[in-house]
Amino acid sequence: MLLYNGTVSIDVQTIESALGLLGQQGSYRILRALLEGPLRFGELQERTGLLPRTQSLRLKEMMAAGWVTRHQFAEVPPRVEYRLTDKARALEPVLVEVERWAERYA
Amino acid sequence: MLLYNGTVSIDVQTIESALGLLGQQGSYRILRALLEGPLRFGELQERTGLLPRTQSLRLKEMMAAGWVTRHQFAEVPPRVEYRLTDKARALEPVLVEVERWAERYA
DNA sequence: CCGTATCCCACGAGATACTG
DNA sequence: CAGTATCTCGTGGGATACGG
C-alpha cells in the first residue's frame, strides 16, 4: 500500500512496522535509554523497569528490525552490551516530536 | 515514570500510550486519511482497507483517547462522519518524522 | 551475570453472518 | 449505511523458576 505525502509516496508497510515496534511495551524506554550510550542487560533493566522476559523479547525484535546490536565479550563474568544502530538513532527526531506532543497534550 | 529529556521531564506513560495506539494496526492509516478531512465509515474503509470490526475497534480507541470525534446526522440514509481533534492533528509532525525516517531506511 | 522455560490468562485479529 | 455478534486462533504479558 502506498500513500502520497505531498512530495513523495511512502511505503505504509515500513511505517506501520516501525510504529508497531515502537508501540510495543518498553520499546520507547529501551530506545531512550540506549540513546545515551551502550548498556548491559542489567543496566538497561534498571532504567526500563521491564521484566527480563519482556526486555529480552523486545531486544530480539529490535535486533531483527536492525535497530539494536548485541556485543558479547569473552570475560569472566560474562559481559553483554546492547547498542543502537544508525537506523535506530535516526528515530530520535520521531521521539522528540512525540515528546513535544506529550508535553502539550498530556 | 519520568525521564529527563535535556530540557524537560517527560511523562513516559503518556508517550507510551500514544505510541501504543499509533502502533495498533490501522491507526496510522486512519490518521493519515482523516488528516485530509472528515470521512464516513465506508469512505474511511476504502482508504484504510481495514475490516469493519478492526476499524470500528480502532475508532473507539481513538475516540477514547480524544483523537477522533464522531458526528451523526439525522438523515436517511444515516450518515456518520469521523474527524480528528486538534490533539490528533498535532501528531502530524510525528508522522512526518516517521515518514522521513522510512524514506531513508526502508 | 544474562538470560530461557513454563504456565496461565487476556486480548486482538480474521472471517463470516447478521441487525437498527 | 454503519456497524455488532460470534467463533476461532495465535500471540503477548506477568510471575516464577531454572540453566550456561
Side-chain angles (χ1 to χ4, degrees), chain B residues 24-105:
Chain B
Q24 289 290 63
Q25 99 151 28
S27 291
Y28 171 73
R29 298 178 191 201
I30 292 176
L31 217 43
R32 258 282 160 248
L34 292 183
L35 276 169
E36 307 296 317
L39 289 173
R40 310 172 63 167
F41 190 90
E43 295 170 331
L44 187 55
Q45 209 185 342
E46 287 170 19
R47 286 162 176 78
T48 61
L50 299 173
L51 290 170
R53 171 187 150 86
T54 307
Q55 180 166 293
S56 174
L57 288 172
R58 209 68 344 116
L59 285 170
K60 274 184 185 156
E61 293 167 5
M62 294 172 90
M63 287 190 273
W67 293 12
V68 169
T69 53
R70 191 189 125 109
H71 302 269
Q72 187 159 0
F73 299 92
E75 299 177 1
V76 182
R79 192 158 66 95
V80 176
E81 262 187 17
Y82 292 93
R83 57 180 70 210
L84 297 181
T85 61
D86 291 345
K87 184 174 176 176
R89 256 189 292 276
L91 283 167
E92 191 168 10
V94 178
L95 302 189
V96 169
E97 288 300 333
V98 180
E99 287 157 7
R100 191 169 292 168
W101 175 88
E103 269 180 62
R104 275 199 69 174
Y105 291 96

